[in-house]
């Protein structure tokens, strides 16, 4: 990228061009980059060939000052992605954040492409939700869970239509990787308990690049970790934002399914614990403490990493764990929601663990810690509602889009 503007502009001063950039166009099939500037001039350079047979994106147009990026697919569809400002990674602006479980994204896709397959009341609600998202009145983020669950569909047309719906309505909004959310929460809570100054908390729902899959990623590029040494910070950030959006959009629109690994070992371990608790005749309060201990073990690796990062003593760490773990309220919204849902699921003797439960618990609990609304399937909605009441969390859980629309309050 550092040499890219030089190749396009020849002797044109780079600083002046940055100020005057209007549009950057990448024609993938034609293997060329174009930069248009405000006075009408166009500069061109060859782009490297892209021989990926499974790519769906054929053209990318970056509207520089508007911070919008538009994709054209090989089926002629167009999608808009919103680029963040380096100084405002999450311009929520008071809008409600609504996190949809995968089955409700499927409802929106069917409503757009095959409305007769959706019951009338849910179809009307879905159309209203789509209109709100398109008008920018709500935020519908997607997560790595959505990527995983969509990408493995083997029906190419259904997978494409679902991905198209998700990208069209999310517009680049995403949820940070839950492991990164947990790490930040735990580090801040340990630091606060130890009397240290906690770091600022990055936004969970954001336009920030490279946060959806990589728990270690941060978009704030320092002088030593720039991918293009010597590149000014605004160009480096614009480059990373555009590249991240291109990668995520292209991944979700991939023309071939991506195999997903099942969590058989994790599921079997959970089922053994649930069955053991069901067979235990001790009082429920005691069984809840056992389930808390099991949840603590499930999170032990993340907690140890957080303690190491905050550099507290083993004594201080032990005191912190003892002070918060058996309390209903802890100052970590996503971790607290995960623990509560995890324990409640184990304490239900009728629970049969499924492979997808890991995704549901991991991502939906993180979303429930910060979103205004969650729309999920019946069982998970019950867990979230029960946990949000216990934790006094502000999230509202809904079993249908119809119920969401009936209870959705928009910012004025």
């Amino acid at each position: 990228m550092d040499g890219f503007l030089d190749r396009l502009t020849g002797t044109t001063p780079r600083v002046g061009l940055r100020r005057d950039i209007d549009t950057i166009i990448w024609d993938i099939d034609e293997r060329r980059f174009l930069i248009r500037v405000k006075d009408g001039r166009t500069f061109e350079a060859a782009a490297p060939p892209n021989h990926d047979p499974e790519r769906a994106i054929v053209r990318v147009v970056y509207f520089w000052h508007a911070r919008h990026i538009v994709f054209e697919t090989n089926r002629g569809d167009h999608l808009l992605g919103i680029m963040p400002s380096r100084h405002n990674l999450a311009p929520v602006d008071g809008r409600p954040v609504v996190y949809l479980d995968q089955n409700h994204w499927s409802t929106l896709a069917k409503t757009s492409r095959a409305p007769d397959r959706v019951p009338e009341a849910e179809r009307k609600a879905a159309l209203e939700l789509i209109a709100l998202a398109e008008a920018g009145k709500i935020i519908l983020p997607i997560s790595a869970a959505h990527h995983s669950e969509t990408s493995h569909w083997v029906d190419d047309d259904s997978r494409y239509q679902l991905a198209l719906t998700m990208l069209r309505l999310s517009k680049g909004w995403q949820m940070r990787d839950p492991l990164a959310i947990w790490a930040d929460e735990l580090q801040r809570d340990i630091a606060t308990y130890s009397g240290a100054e906690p770091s600022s908390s990055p936004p969970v729902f954001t336009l920030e690049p490279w946060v959806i899959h990589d728990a270690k990623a941060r978009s704030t590029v320092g002088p030593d970790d720039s991918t293009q040494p010597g590149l000014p910070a605004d160009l480096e950030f614009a480059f990373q934002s555009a590249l991240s959006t291109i990668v995520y959009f292209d991944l979700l629109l991939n023309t071939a399914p991506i195999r997903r690994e099942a969590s058989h070992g994790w599921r079997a371990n959970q089922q053994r614990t649930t069955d053991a608790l069901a067979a235990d005749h001790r009082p429920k309060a005691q069984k809840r403490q056992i389930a808390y201990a099991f949840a603590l073990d499930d999170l032990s690796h993340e907690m140890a990493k957080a303690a190491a990062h905050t550099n507290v003593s083993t004594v201080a760490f032990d005191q912190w764990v003892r002070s918060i773990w058996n309390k209903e309220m802890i100052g970590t919204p996503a971790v607290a929601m995960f623990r509560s849902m995890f324990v409640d699921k184990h304490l239900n003797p009728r629970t049969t663990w499924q492979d997808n439960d890991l995704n549901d618990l991991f991502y939906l609990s993180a979303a429930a810690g910060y979103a205004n609304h969650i729309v999920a399937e019946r069982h998970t909605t019950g867990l979230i509602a029960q946990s949000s009441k216990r934790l006094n969390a502000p999230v509202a859980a809904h079993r249908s889009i119809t119920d969401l629309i009936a209870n959705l309050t928009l910012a004025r």
Side-chain angles (χ1 to χ4, degrees):
M1 183 71 176
D2 190 32
F4 170 57
L5 293 180
D6 294 330
R7 293 200 306 274
L8 290 177
T9 62
T11 59
T12 304
R14 180 167 28 166
V15 173
L17 178 64
R18 282 210 319 278
R19 186 175 58 248
D20 294 331
I21 289 175
D22 179 69
T23 310
I24 301 175
I25 301 169
W26 177 19
D27 274 315
I28 300 174
D29 287 343
E30 297 182 16
R31 295 171 53 183
R32 64 174 182 167
F33 290 108
L34 295 171
I35 282 188
R36 292 176 181 164
V37 294
K38 292 179 180 178
D39 65 6
R41 289 176 297 160
T42 300
F43 303 92
E44 181 175 343
N50 187 320
H51 300 304
D52 180 4
E54 296 171 356
R55 68 175 171 83
I57 295 173
V58 297
R59 182 179 168 91
V60 181
V61 182
Y62 191 166
F63 295 94
W64 184 260
H65 289 287
R67 294 199 183 95
H68 289 167
I69 190 166
V70 175
F71 299 89
E72 182 180 344
T73 75
N74 54 7
R75 300 193 186 192
D77 291 301
H78 293 83
L79 295 161
L80 170 69
I82 302 172
M83 299 290 97
S85 160
R86 191 159 60 98
H87 307 290
N88 187 2
L89 300 173
V92 175
D93 299 329
R95 292 173 291 175
V97 175
V98 179
Y99 187 89
L100 300 178
D101 200 4
Q102 186 74 1
N103 59 327
H104 296 291
W105 275 113
S106 295
T107 298
L108 296 187
K110 289 181 206 173
T111 299
S112 298
R113 300 291 176 173
D116 291 343
R117 296 173 57 193
V118 182
E120 183 180 4
E122 193 74 347
R123 182 172 69 247
K124 288 181 179 178
L127 287 170
E128 186 171 346
L129 187 65
I130 289 169
L132 291 172
E134 289 179 333
K137 294 183 178 180
I138 62 171
I139 293 171
L140 292 179
I142 58 177
S143 70
H146 296 126
H147 275 256
S148 173
E149 293 184 16
T150 301
S151 297
H152 84 283
W153 281 24
V154 295
D155 184 308
D156 292 345
D157 187 63
S158 295
R159 185 181 62 254
Y160 176 85
Q161 298 299 343
L162 176 58
L164 200 69
T165 299
M166 295 169 72
L167 293 172
R168 178 165 60 89
L169 298 181
S170 65
K171 300 179 183 178
W173 280 94
Q174 57 201 319
M175 185 175 80
R176 190 176 297 274
D177 188 307
L179 284 178
I181 299 170
W182 288 3
D184 176 70
E185 287 186 350
L186 292 169
Q187 289 166 21
R188 284 189 291 108
D189 206 60
I190 293 171
T192 300
Y193 181 81
S194 303
E197 184 69 26
S199 59
S200 59
S201 180
V204 168
F205 301 106
T206 180
L207 297 171
E208 182 179 351
W210 305 121
V211 300
I212 196 170
H213 284 108
D214 187 357
K216 297 179 181 178
R218 292 291 185 271
S219 68
T220 305
V221 180
D224 299 326
D225 39 286
S226 169
T227 60
Q228 305 292 329
L231 195 65
D234 60 338
L235 273 181
E236 171 68 23
F237 183 79
F239 172 73
Q240 292 293 336
S241 296
L243 183 60
S244 168
T245 304
I246 291 168
V247 168
Y248 290 149
F249 275 52
D250 191 56
L251 178 64
L252 202 52
L253 288 167
N254 200 293
T255 59
I258 300 173
R259 184 171 176 267
R260 184 176 63 173
E261 296 294 331
S263 54
H264 297 311
W266 183 87
R267 182 197 67 185
N269 191 31
Q270 307 311 313
Q271 193 64 57
R272 284 192 295 270
T273 302
T274 295
D275 294 344
L277 287 169
D280 194 311
H281 298 297
R282 278 177 283 192
K284 187 174 182 179
Q286 291 184 22
K287 292 202 286 187
R288 179 170 288 276
Q289 295 304 311
I290 295 170
Y292 275 154
F294 190 63
L296 177 61
D297 180 70
D298 208 63
L299 286 165
S300 59
H301 182 64
E302 283 70 31
M303 296 176 75
K305 285 199 300 185
H309 189 274
T310 50
N311 199 29
V312 299
S313 68
T314 54
V315 173
F317 175 67
D318 181 67
Q319 289 174 341
W320 170 76
V321 172
R322 292 175 184 276
S323 74
I324 60 95
W325 196 252
N326 287 333
K327 295 180 180 177
E328 294 292 1
M329 297 293 292
I330 58 177
T332 53
V335 173
M337 189 66 70
F338 173 83
R339 184 194 67 167
S340 181
M341 293 170 64
F342 183 86
V343 167
D344 285 346
K345 194 169 178 71
H346 272 299
L347 291 176
N348 182 354
R350 296 186 297 276
T351 293
T352 300
W353 290 83
Q354 307 294 332
D355 284 339
N356 205 50
D357 285 339
L358 176 59
N359 254 8
D360 285 349
L361 279 175
F362 193 53
Y363 287 93
L364 287 169
S365 64
Y370 294 90
N372 301 103
H373 299 270
I374 299 278
V375 191
E377 51 83 27
R378 181 185 182 92
H379 175 69
T380 307
T381 299
L383 288 175
I384 293 171
Q386 187 168 286
S387 294
S388 62
K389 183 178 180 180
R390 177 183 296 126
L391 299 170
N392 197 28
V395 66
H398 312 276
R399 295 176 181 175
S400 67
I401 298 174
T402 303
D403 184 62
L404 165 70
I405 292 297
N407 292 279
L408 188 63
T409 302
L410 301 177
R412 295 186 178 181

